[in-house]
Amino acid sequence: YEEPERFNPDRFSPATGGTKVYREKGCFLPFGDGPRQCLGMRFALMQVKRGLFEVITKYEVSVNSKSKQPIQLDPKAFIVCPL
């Protein structure tokens, strides 16, 4: 940052390039980005994995007879959430 000891919120304004300039340099990682990602997100992912494990181990999971084989996914309708 230019003048790091001085409080200057204008350095992140869109007129000066916003936060993108500092993110590219690697010196601005707000909460939720980088190695210190949101702890709640990691905890939720762990709970989902544990829940899936419990369902698979305690119940019999099978494919419905009406399901099409092989499964064909529509890329426009299928949403993948990056983790």
Side-chain angles (χ1 to χ4, degrees), residues 19-68:
T19 59
K20 184 178 181 191
V21 177
Y22 296 104
R23 285 183 186 206
E24 289 172 354
K25 291 181 183 177
C27 59
F28 178 71
L29 292 174
F31 188 73
D33 283 351
R36 296 184 180 105
Q37 284 185 331
C38 178
L39 297 175
M41 184 174 64
R42 283 193 258 166
F43 183 67
L45 180 62
M46 181 184 65
Q47 283 187 313
V48 168
K49 288 179 180 180
R50 179 62 189 203
L52 186 60
F53 170 79
E54 292 294 331
V55 168
I56 289 172
T57 57
K58 293 185 178 183
Y59 299 97
E60 182 179 332
V61 181
S62 61
V63 179
N64 189 338
S65 61
K66 296 178 184 178
S67 297
K68 295 179 183 178

